[in-house]
């Protein structure tokens, strides 16, 4: 298939494979979940890590598994609170394991990874409330399980809808006087329930993440316009004054991604609020390029991982 944007060969292959019906968003949620899990069974190098998990009761929002991914040598310089993407419907520790292992190993970080309750079974704001409960108790958790991590710089991070929820963590922490977040790392984040941006029009179909797919994901998360208008769902709609509290932020977007315009727009809005922003657009790639095992060795993924791990490691 001839595309308007030339892609790296591996990204081209993923696009072609994912365009065979039924598309993942045309399947029942459980079937789509299995499809992504099986896609992530693809062999890939995984950085060494010490991994453990616990079940945490988040009160009225229910109990969820939480994974801890730490460097093998036990030296923890940072904490990364990582929220996974995959449309609020799909995704798990398995789908994101290679990504969070690499983040942990290359930044000497303890990665805290909640497996929040997914949609459509759980609607907005269940997932963000579960994640915020964990974030707001982060030092208690560290003291009980990883006392050596107490006082380490805290980065909140996420990809796609996980990036959306990572932004919500900063907003909620500001509104509720939660923990101090030192950095915010976003890979191709969802920032607005709007489907008429330049990148939505240019890459609506045949670039892995479809415009119709994003509409479907949003319907699973919440069909309510009142919900979608909330800044913890569509943070691009946040008043400039409310963004001034944001920590230094890195946003990495892929060129051929329906979400690119809104991700870049959010970076510009943060910059207008006086926030320190580092923003990259990686050429020749598609959505999910830092998560998908099949794209791990692409120039796009390696560039994004080199840039983001170096940024987390900076002392500032």
């Amino acid at each position: 298939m001839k595309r308007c944007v030339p892609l790296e060969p591996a990204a081209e292959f993923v696009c072609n494979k994912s365009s065979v019906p039924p598309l993942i968003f045309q399947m029942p949620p459980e079937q789509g979940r299995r499809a992504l899990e099986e896609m992530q069974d693809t062999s890939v190098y995984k950085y060494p890590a010490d991994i453990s998990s616990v079940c945490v009761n988040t009160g009225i929002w229910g109990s969820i598994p939480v994974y801890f991914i730490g460097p093998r040598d036990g030296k923890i310089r940072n904490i990364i609170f990582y929220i996974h993407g995959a449309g609020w419907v799909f995704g798990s520790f398995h789908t994101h394991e290679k990504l969070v292992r690499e983040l942990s190993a290359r930044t000497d970080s303890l990665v805290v990874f909640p497996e929040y309750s997914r949609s459509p079974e759980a609607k907005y704001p269940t997932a963000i409330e579960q994640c915020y409960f964990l974030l707001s108790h982060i030092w208690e958790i560290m003291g009980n399980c990883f006392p050596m991590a107490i006082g380490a710089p805290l980065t909140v991070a996420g990809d796609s809808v996980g990036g959306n929820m990572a932004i919500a963590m900063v907003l909620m922490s500001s509104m509720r006087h939660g923990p101090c977040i030192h950095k915010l790392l976003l890979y191709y984040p969802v920032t607005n329930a709007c489907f008429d941006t330049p990148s939505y029009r240019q890459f609506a179909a045949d670039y892995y993440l479809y415009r119709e797919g994003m509409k479907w994901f949003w319907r699973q998360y919440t069909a309510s316009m009142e919900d979608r208008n909330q800044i913890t769902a569509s943070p691009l709609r946040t008043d400039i004054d409310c963004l001034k509290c944001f920590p230094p932020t890195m946003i990495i977007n892929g060129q051929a991604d329906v979400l690119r315009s809104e991700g870049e727009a959010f970076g510009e809005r943060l910059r207008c609020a006086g926030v320190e922003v580092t923003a990259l657009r990686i050429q020749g790639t598609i959505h999910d390029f830092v998560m998908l095992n099949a794209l791990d060795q692409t120039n796009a993924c390696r560039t994004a991982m080199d840039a983001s791990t170096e940024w987390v490691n900076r002392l500032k």
Side-chain angles (χ1 to χ4, degrees):
M1 176 183 295
K2 185 173 178 59
R3 304 183 193 280
C4 63
V5 168
L7 302 174
E8 289 197 58
E12 183 87 19
F13 177 81
V14 168
C15 285
N16 291 338
K17 190 172 182 179
S18 64
S19 67
V20 178
L23 306 184
I24 195 168
F25 62 90
Q26 296 170 336
M27 303 175 185
E30 280 299 333
Q31 186 179 344
R33 288 166 186 161
R34 287 194 299 272
L36 182 58
E37 297 283 324
E38 290 170 4
M39 179 184 291
Q40 289 298 85
D41 286 339
T42 302
S43 179
V44 69
Y45 174 74
K46 294 177 181 175
Y47 278 79
D50 285 335
I51 299 172
S52 59
S53 65
V54 297
C55 186
V56 176
N57 185 342
T58 67
I60 64 171
W61 305 104
S63 296
I64 59 171
V66 181
Y67 288 82
F68 302 98
I69 304 93
R72 275 283 174 86
D73 62 9
K75 296 178 181 177
I76 297 172
R77 293 176 51 206
N78 307 285
I79 297 171
I80 299 177
F81 187 86
Y82 196 93
I83 307 177
H84 74 80
W88 295 294
V89 178
F90 310 138
S92 65
F93 175 69
H94 174 64
T95 62
H96 284 67
E97 182 177 359
K98 77 94 182 175
L99 169 57
V100 294
R101 277 175 174 260
E102 182 169 358
L103 283 174
S104 173
R106 296 185 66 181
T107 65
D108 294 325
S109 294
L110 177 68
V111 178
V112 181
F113 185 98
E115 274 196 347
Y116 56 83
S117 297
R118 297 174 296 191
S119 299
E121 296 89 346
K123 298 291 189 180
Y124 171 92
T126 300
I128 58 171
E129 291 291 354
Q130 290 173 339
C131 290
Y132 184 74
F133 179 93
L134 292 167
L135 183 66
S136 64
H137 290 79
I138 191 75
W139 299 121
E140 179 184 333
I141 293 170
M142 293 301 97
N144 291 337
C145 302
F146 301 93
M148 74 290 289
I150 289 289
L154 174 61
T155 295
V156 173
D159 60 296
S160 190
V161 303
N164 172 281
M165 292 189 283
I167 297 168
M169 294 302 100
V170 180
L171 290 168
M172 294 166 76
S173 191
S174 174
M175 292 184 287
R176 302 180 186 182
H177 309 290
C180 176
I181 297 167
H182 297 89
K183 292 185 178 183
L184 178 64
L185 172 60
L186 307 171
Y187 300 111
Y188 36 84
V190 174
T191 68
N192 199 14
C194 173
F195 313 101
D196 193 29
T197 65
S199 60
Y200 261 116
R201 292 192 294 271
Q202 186 174 10
F203 305 112
D206 299 320
Y207 286 90
Y208 175 72
L209 178 60
Y210 284 56
R211 180 173 183 262
E212 290 304 313
M214 275 308 303
K215 287 184 175 181
W216 182 83
F217 286 128
W218 269 104
R219 287 196 300 272
Q220 309 314 300
Y221 190 45
T222 177
S224 162
M225 291 310 299
E226 181 180 358
D227 287 348
R228 293 185 183 193
N229 284 329
Q230 299 299 313
I231 61 174
T232 50
S234 293
L236 189 58
R237 305 179 192 187
T238 308
D239 290 340
I240 289 288
D241 285 346
C242 294
L243 296 175
K244 292 178 180 179
C245 66
F246 270 61
T249 299
M250 170 172 266
I251 305 177
I252 298 180
N253 290 290
Q255 181 185 18
D257 184 351
V258 293
L259 301 181
R260 191 193 75 207
S261 294
E262 66 193 75
E264 292 179 344
F266 188 71
E268 292 170 4
R269 195 156 178 78
L270 284 177
R271 198 174 289 113
C272 288
V275 176
E276 181 184 319
V277 178
T278 302
L280 300 177
R281 180 194 293 186
I282 308 294
Q283 303 292 310
T285 196
I286 56 175
H287 189 70
D288 275 350
F289 68 96
V290 299
M291 179 270 279
L292 290 173
N293 290 1
L295 301 184
D296 181 66
Q297 289 303 305
T298 58
N299 293 324
C301 182
R302 291 300 95 214
T303 298
M305 295 308 297
D306 287 347
S308 56
T309 54
E310 191 277 334
W311 180 81
V312 170
N313 282 331
R314 289 183 198 170
L315 293 178
K316 183 176 179 181

